[in-house]
Amino acid sequence: MKPATDSRYLLPMNLQVFAGEKTEKATPKKRNDARRKGQVSQSQEISNSLQLIVSVSLFMVLGSFFWNRIVAMFGEIFLHRLSMDVTPGNVLTLFGQYAIQMLIFLSPIFIGAIVVGFAAHYFQVGWLFTTEPLKFKLKPLNPINGFKRLFSMRALVELAKSVLKLLAISLIVYLVLWSERDRVMALAYVPIEDIFAFAGSLTTRLGMLVAITLFLIAIGDYYYQNYSYEKSLRMSKQDIKDEFKNQEGDPKVKAKIREKQRRMAIMRMMQEVPNADVIITNPTHFAVALQYDQTKMDAPKVIAKGQDYLALRIREIAKKHDVTIMENKPLARALYERAEVGQAIPPDLFQAVAEVLAYIYRLKGRRKA
C-alpha cells in the first residue's frame, strides 16, 4: 500500500484550495452589487483635511471681518447692556440675538466646510444614495466578530495612522512655537491688540500647517483604502463561475432548453410538410420542402428542410400525404445550404425551382403562370 502522504493523494485537495483562493479581480456585477450596498472605496481623512484647509483659509481671508464683528458684539454689551435688568426673559433674548449674529458671521466657514465635504465625497465615490448601511443588522453586534475586528489588519493600520497624525501634529506645534519663542516671551511688553493679532496669526499658521500635513497623510490613506477595498472584492475562480451561472443560467439547463426548443421547431416544421408542393431530395442526405402560392407569395419559400434522419422523416411524411418527391442533387444541396426555413429561395435559384414546379404542375394536371 502507498503511504497516505503520497502527492497523488494530496493533488485533489490542493486543487480545491487553489480554486478557493480569491486571486481574481472583482467582476462588474460584484462591484455594482457592493456599490448598491454602500460598500465603496473612500477615505474620510481626505474630506476632513480638506474641510480643515478651507476653514483655516476662510479664517485667514475673513479675519478682519470676524474681528470687527466680535468686537462690535462684545462692545455692545459694555455700551448698552450693563444697565439692563437681569431677568430670565432678557437673558434668553440676549443670548438668542448673539447666537444668531455668530451663526451669520460664521456661516461662510460652515458653508465652505459642507461644500468641500460633499465635493470630496463626490470625487471619490460619485453620486451615490443608498439606505442599505442604515438597516439594522445583528452581525456587527456579534462579540466574536468585534474581537476579530479589534485585532485585524485594518485596526492596526488605523492605530498606526492615529499615532502618525499625533506625532506629526506634535512636531509641527513644537517647531512653530520654538521658532516664535522670542516673540512669545516679549508678549508681556506689547499692547493687548498686538497680543490678539499675534495669537490669531500663530493659530491660523499652525492650523494651515496641520491641515496640509493631514492632507498628505490622507493621500496615503486613500491609496490604502482603495487597496483594501479591491482586496475585499477579490473573487476565486469558482466564485466567477458561480456568478456566471447565476447571471447567464446553468449551461446544462440552457442546453436542455435549446434542445427542447429545437425539437419543438422540428415538430412545427414537420407539420408543414403536407402543405408542400414538392420535396427536392439528394436523394438520401438532403430533403427540402417547397411551397408556392401565386396569390400570396412573390417567390417559392422553404417550409421544411433536413439532413440524413430529418431528410428521411420528411420523405416519409411526404409519401404518406402524396406530396411529390423529386430528386435533384445540386438543387437540393443549394437550397439546403442557402435558404432558411420560412424564407424565400435565393433569386439565382428561381429558374431551377420554376422548372421543377412547372414539371410538378404538369404532372398534377395544373397550369400556373
Side-chain angles (χ1 to χ4, degrees):
M1 294 179 60
K2 294 185 179 295
T5 58
D6 193 285
S7 60
R8 289 178 295 178
Y9 294 93
L10 295 177
L11 183 59
M13 184 179 297
N14 291 338
L15 289 176
Q16 292 178 1
V17 172
F18 292 148
E21 289 183 351
K22 298 183 181 298
T23 58
E24 307 300 319
K25 291 184 177 181
T27 60
K29 181 180 182 302
K30 184 168 184 178
R31 292 181 184 276
N32 292 334
D33 292 342
R35 184 178 177 83
R36 284 195 293 268
K37 295 177 181 178
Q39 300 173 3
V40 292
S41 173
Q42 65 172 335
S43 172
Q44 191 63 35
E45 302 295 333
I46 293 286
S47 177
N48 295 339
S49 59
L50 288 177
Q51 286 176 331
L52 183 58
I53 290 176
V54 170
S55 300
V56 175
S57 300
L58 289 174
F59 267 116
M60 296 173 66
V61 173
L62 303 176
S64 60
F65 169 75
F66 293 149
W67 173 256
N68 294 332
R69 297 290 296 183
I70 292 174
V71 170
M73 187 171 62
F74 283 97
E76 198 264 345
I77 295 177
F78 291 101
L79 292 175
H80 305 289
R81 301 291 183 177
L82 293 179
S83 60
M84 181 186 70
D85 294 333
V86 181
T87 62
N90 291 338
V91 172
L92 288 177
T93 302
L94 179 64
F95 276 101
Q97 293 176 356
Y98 288 158
I100 293 174
Q101 293 182 26
M102 292 181 66
L103 286 176
I104 291 174
F105 73 78
L106 290 178
S107 59
I109 295 178
F110 294 150
I111 295 174
I114 293 173
V115 170
V116 170
F118 276 108
H121 177 79
Y122 178 79
F123 282 110
Q124 290 185 85
V125 179
W127 176 253
L128 176 63
F129 178 78
T130 177
T131 59
E132 188 69 24
L134 301 178
K135 294 182 178 179
F136 179 75
K137 298 177 182 178
L138 294 175
K139 187 176 181 180
L141 302 178
N142 190 340
I144 297 178
N145 293 336
F147 185 78
K148 290 180 179 179
R149 288 195 299 269
L150 186 62
F151 295 95
S152 64
M153 179 59 66
R154 179 178 288 274
L156 295 177
V157 171
E158 293 296 328
L159 176 62
K161 185 173 63 176
S162 300
V163 172
L164 179 61
K165 290 193 294 185
L166 180 61
L167 293 176
I169 294 173
S170 301
L171 181 61
I172 290 173
V173 172
Y174 171 78
L175 293 176
V176 171
L177 292 179
W178 182 255
S179 65
E180 299 289 343
R181 62 186 183 278
D182 295 335
R183 296 184 62 183
V184 172
M185 297 300 295
L187 290 178
Y189 307 99
V190 299
I192 188 67
E193 293 184 0
D194 294 341
I195 295 176
F196 278 115
F198 173 74
S201 174
L202 184 63
T203 302
T204 53
R205 186 164 54 147
L206 278 173
M208 183 57 68
L209 290 175
V210 169
I212 294 175
T213 303
L214 293 179
F215 180 71
L216 296 177
I217 296 175
I219 294 176
D221 180 67
Y222 171 77
Y223 284 104
Y224 169 75
Q225 296 295 340
N226 187 60
Y227 165 77
S228 179
Y229 176 74
E230 292 293 333
K231 185 177 180 181
S232 66
L233 289 182
R234 285 179 184 173
M235 305 172 67
S236 64
K237 290 182 171 59
Q238 186 62 39
D239 293 337
I240 296 177
K241 291 180 181 179
D242 294 340
E243 180 184 290
F244 177 79
K245 288 182 179 180
N246 294 331
Q247 188 175 3
E248 302 294 335
D250 192 338
K252 295 181 179 179
V253 176
K254 293 177 67 177
K256 292 181 179 179
I257 293 175
R258 287 195 298 267
E259 177 64 21
K260 187 174 182 179
Q261 291 175 344
R262 189 179 69 86
R263 291 182 179 179
M264 294 177 64
I266 292 175
M267 291 177 61
R268 289 193 298 269
M269 184 179 66
M270 293 301 179
Q271 292 174 358
E272 294 293 329
V273 172
N275 300 325
D277 292 317
V278 62
I279 308 296
I280 301 177
T281 63
N282 193 25
T284 57
H285 295 293
F286 300 99
V288 180
L290 299 178
Q291 184 186 40
Y292 179 59
D293 188 345
Q294 185 178 5
T295 60
K296 300 179 181 180
M297 305 176 186
D298 296 330
K301 71 175 183 179
V302 177
I303 60 174
K305 69 175 185 177
Q307 184 179 5
D308 297 332
Y309 174 75
L310 287 181
L312 177 61
R313 288 288 301 147
I314 291 173
R315 291 197 301 272
E316 291 177 350
I317 296 174
K319 291 178 180 179
K320 184 177 179 181
H321 293 84
D322 295 329
V323 179
T324 305
I325 300 175
M326 177 174 289
E327 179 181 340
N328 190 327
K329 297 179 181 180
L331 183 58
R333 180 179 291 273
L335 289 171
Y336 182 84
E337 294 177 351
R338 298 174 56 190
E340 298 296 330
V341 176
Q343 296 181 355
I345 64 174
D348 57 332
L349 298 179
F350 282 178
Q351 182 64 33
V353 173
E355 294 176 356
V356 171
L357 290 177
Y359 175 73
I360 297 302
Y361 293 152
R362 285 197 299 270
L363 289 179
K364 293 182 177 180
R366 294 186 294 171
R367 304 283 299 177
K368 287 191 176 182

